[in-house]
Amino acid sequence: MSESRLLNQALRAVLSGQPRAAADRHRPAWHLAPTVGLMNDPNGFIQFNGRYVLCYQWNPLACAHGAKFWGQWSSADLVHWRHEPLALAPAEEYESHGCYSGSAVDNQGVLTLVYTGNVKFADGGRTAWQCLAEQQSDGSFRKLGPVLALPEGYTGHVRDPKVWQHDGQWYMVLGAQDQQLQGKVLLLRSADLHDWTLLGEIAGSRVNGLGDFGYMWECPDLFTLDDSDVLLVCPQGLPAEQYRWRNTFQSGYFCGTLDYPGVQYRHGDFHELDHGFEFYAPQTTLADDGRRLLIGWMGIPDGDEFAQPTREHGWMHTMTCPRELTLHGDRLRQRPVRELQQLRGQETQLRGIAENLPAVDIGSAELELTLTGSCHFSFADTLHLSADRHGLTLRRHNLRSGEEETRYWHGEVRQLRILCDRSSVEIFINDGDAVMSSRYFPQPEPRLRLTGNAQITLRHWRLQQCVIE
Ligand code: FRU
């Protein structure tokens, strides 16, 4: 479809849908969410000329997956965001079924997007092109078209380019599925972003002694943190176990060493990035001040998403809060970026036995607490967190089936930092050793109630609203 028709349709969807979406009580007060329609992966996350840019997979036309656009926001401080012109609309033949996920680089002062043109055929087949678009002086993006076709030996599922520079060369990782239906990560090199050489597979199912590890790997991201080369990736098809891999699709990481000339990535075990119900497709960037920042999608593309009540209001999903990553041994630690503290209002402190404490407001709030002993947190009677000597258990009723579902974290719980925003809860455990991120859909004025005999010290802040400009 022509670009101007697509843009007209998107404009009409925003104009007609925005009032209903904005009136939804589940809309976040300070997390990023789409004006209307369905948002999924963060894309093109970069600090460019000092300002953060974050694009996102977006179907403005319906609360459904489909031919994705790239929406775009920017921010000076990771807290206050403003809408920017739509970055990409799926107008060309090589992207007819979506401008799928990808990344952004600073190519000699030009903000350049590298993304996947997704194409589906009438006979059920599909292909994928890796494509470029360059920012113009008026802020819009000029498409340069495909720079890479499907490599031989892989199905039509090759996507989500993440590009970075190393020793004067550009490198790309791609998520892929090979002809034997095994998920992989491919490494490619280019001198100019246009001409790419496939170097090989650096990780995947049946690679590096991993055994069977999923039929497709999506959204890879590779970066150096301290002395380690960290690979984030989303494997699809890991069978759920009693205490791990319980979401339909996983999002996790490996730590290791990438030997660029030898095209070998030696890595350790796969660790989940988040132990909550909703977390997928995160993307990182290196900030000017040296911090490695991550934003994830607080959603999972598994169909259960369509039972979320915001769909009735014409919008779906939010991003996680921006997080700073640090490495401790072979484990990543995630903490909300310090800039978010700007949102804090007046502080209230509570101390005592859990069940004696008054309920606290969690509409838009931050809690920091230390605990010794067992206790139970009820988030508006909708989401339940139990802390005992084994660790944490998070429970809720599945919105589609009504059945109880649980997620776990094992370890000694000493401290929790909880960010609540209308319909989401992000629980940072022991100063970021682990995180549980989840959506929930409470009645108005949600409150947190504690029970149990744990000794608690609690700090509470209401967080200010921060609408996208
Ligand atoms: C992950 C994903 C990506 C793809 C995009 C399409 O959620 O499936 O692999 O590029 O979403 O919206």
Side-chain angles (χ1 to χ4, degrees), residues 354-355 369 371-377 385-388 392 416 450-456:
E355 58 201 16
L369 54 103
L371 69 165
T372 44
S374 299
C375 74
H376 182 91
F377 301 78
L385 180 72
S386 305
D388 62 23
L392 293 171
L416 297 174
L450 281 80
T451 47
N453 56 16
Q455 179 69 37
I456 306 267

Coordinates of all heavy atoms in Angstrom, one line a residue, residues 354-355 369 371-377 385-388 392 416 450-456:
A354 N 4.7 -7.3 59.2 CA 4.0 -7.1 57.9 C 2.5 -6.9 58.1 O 1.9 -6.0 57.6 CB 4.2 -8.3 57.0
E355 N 1.9 -7.8 58.9 CA 0.4 -7.8 58.9 C -0.1 -6.6 59.8 O -1.3 -6.3 59.7 CB -0.2 -9.1 59.4 CG 0.2 -9.5 60.8 CD 0.0 -11.0 60.9 OE1 -0.2 -11.7 59.9 OE2 0.0 -11.5 62.1
L369 N 11.8 -1.9 50.2 CA 11.6 -2.5 51.5 C 12.7 -3.6 51.8 O 13.2 -4.2 50.9 CB 10.2 -3.1 51.7 CG 9.7 -4.0 50.6 CD1 9.7 -5.4 51.2 CD2 8.3 -3.6 50.3
L371 N 13.2 -7.0 54.3 CA 12.3 -7.9 55.1 C 13.1 -9.1 55.6 O 14.1 -9.5 55.0 CB 11.2 -8.4 54.2 CG 11.4 -9.4 53.1 CD1 10.1 -10.0 52.6 CD2 12.0 -8.7 51.9
T372 N 12.7 -9.5 56.8 CA 13.3 -10.8 57.4 C 12.1 -11.6 57.8 O 11.3 -11.1 58.6 CB 14.2 -10.5 58.6 OG1 13.5 -9.5 59.4 CG2 15.5 -10.0 58.2
G373 N 12.0 -12.8 57.3 CA 10.8 -13.7 57.6 C 9.9 -13.8 56.4 O 10.2 -13.3 55.3
S374 N 8.8 -14.5 56.6 CA 7.9 -14.8 55.5 C 6.8 -13.7 55.4 O 6.3 -13.3 56.5 CB 7.2 -16.1 55.7 OG 8.2 -17.1 55.7
C375 N 6.4 -13.4 54.3 CA 5.2 -12.5 54.2 C 4.6 -12.6 52.8 O 5.1 -13.2 51.9 CB 5.5 -11.1 54.5 SG 6.5 -10.2 53.3
H376 N 3.4 -12.0 52.7 CA 2.6 -12.1 51.5 C 2.2 -10.7 51.1 O 1.7 -9.9 51.9 CB 1.4 -13.0 51.8 CG 0.5 -13.1 50.6 ND1 0.7 -14.2 49.7 CD2 -0.4 -12.4 50.1 CE1 -0.2 -14.1 48.7 NE2 -0.9 -13.0 48.9
F377 N 2.4 -10.4 49.8 CA 2.0 -9.1 49.3 C 0.8 -9.3 48.3 O 0.9 -10.1 47.4 CB 3.1 -8.5 48.4 CG 4.4 -8.3 49.1 CD1 5.3 -9.4 49.3 CD2 4.8 -7.0 49.5 CE1 6.5 -9.2 50.0 CE2 6.0 -6.8 50.2 CZ 6.9 -7.9 50.4
L385 N 2.2 -11.9 45.7 CA 3.7 -12.3 45.8 C 3.9 -12.8 47.2 O 3.6 -12.2 48.2 CB 4.5 -11.0 45.6 CG 6.0 -11.2 45.7 CD1 6.6 -11.9 44.5 CD2 6.7 -9.8 45.8
S386 N 4.5 -14.0 47.3 CA 4.8 -14.6 48.6 C 6.3 -14.7 48.7 O 7.0 -15.2 47.8 CB 4.3 -16.0 48.7 OG 2.9 -16.0 48.4
A387 N 6.8 -14.3 49.9 CA 8.2 -14.4 50.1 C 8.4 -15.3 51.3 O 7.8 -15.2 52.3 CB 8.8 -13.0 50.5
D388 N 9.2 -16.3 51.1 CA 9.6 -17.2 52.2 C 11.0 -17.6 52.1 O 11.7 -17.1 51.3 CB 8.6 -18.4 52.3 CG 8.7 -19.3 51.0 OD1 9.8 -19.2 50.3 OD2 7.7 -20.0 50.7
L392 N 10.7 -16.3 46.1 CA 9.5 -15.6 45.8 C 8.6 -16.4 44.9 O 9.1 -17.1 43.9 CB 9.8 -14.3 45.1 CG 10.6 -13.2 45.9 CD1 11.0 -12.1 45.0 CD2 9.7 -12.7 47.0
L416 N 13.6 -5.6 48.4 CA 12.8 -5.5 47.2 C 12.6 -4.0 46.9 O 12.4 -3.2 47.7 CB 11.4 -6.1 47.4 CG 11.3 -7.6 47.7 CD1 9.9 -8.0 48.0 CD2 11.9 -8.4 46.5
L450 N -0.1 -6.2 53.1 CA 0.9 -7.2 53.5 C 0.3 -8.0 54.6 O -0.5 -7.5 55.5 CB 2.1 -6.5 54.0 CG 3.1 -5.9 53.0 CD1 2.6 -4.6 52.4 CD2 4.5 -5.8 53.6
T451 N 0.6 -9.3 54.6 CA 0.3 -10.2 55.7 C 1.5 -11.0 56.0 O 2.5 -11.0 55.3 CB -0.9 -11.2 55.3 OG1 -0.6 -11.7 54.1 CG2 -2.2 -10.4 55.3
G452 N 1.5 -11.7 57.1 CA 2.6 -12.6 57.5 C 3.4 -11.9 58.7 O 3.0 -10.8 59.1
N453 N 4.4 -12.6 59.1 CA 5.1 -12.1 60.3 C 6.5 -11.5 60.1 O 7.3 -11.4 61.0 CB 5.1 -13.2 61.4 CG 5.8 -14.4 60.8 OD1 6.4 -14.4 59.8 ND2 5.6 -15.6 61.5
A454 N 6.8 -11.3 58.8 CA 8.1 -10.7 58.5 C 8.3 -9.3 59.2 O 7.3 -8.6 59.3 CB 8.3 -10.6 57.0
Q455 N 9.5 -9.0 59.6 CA 9.8 -7.7 60.0 C 10.1 -6.9 58.8 O 11.0 -7.3 58.0 CB 11.0 -7.8 61.0 CG 11.5 -6.5 61.5 CD 10.5 -5.9 62.5 OE1 9.9 -6.6 63.3 NE2 10.3 -4.6 62.5
I456 N 9.4 -5.8 58.6 CA 9.5 -5.0 57.4 C 10.0 -3.5 57.7 O 9.5 -2.9 58.6 CB 8.1 -4.9 56.7 CG1 7.5 -6.2 56.5 CG2 8.2 -4.0 55.4 CD1 7.8 -6.9 55.2

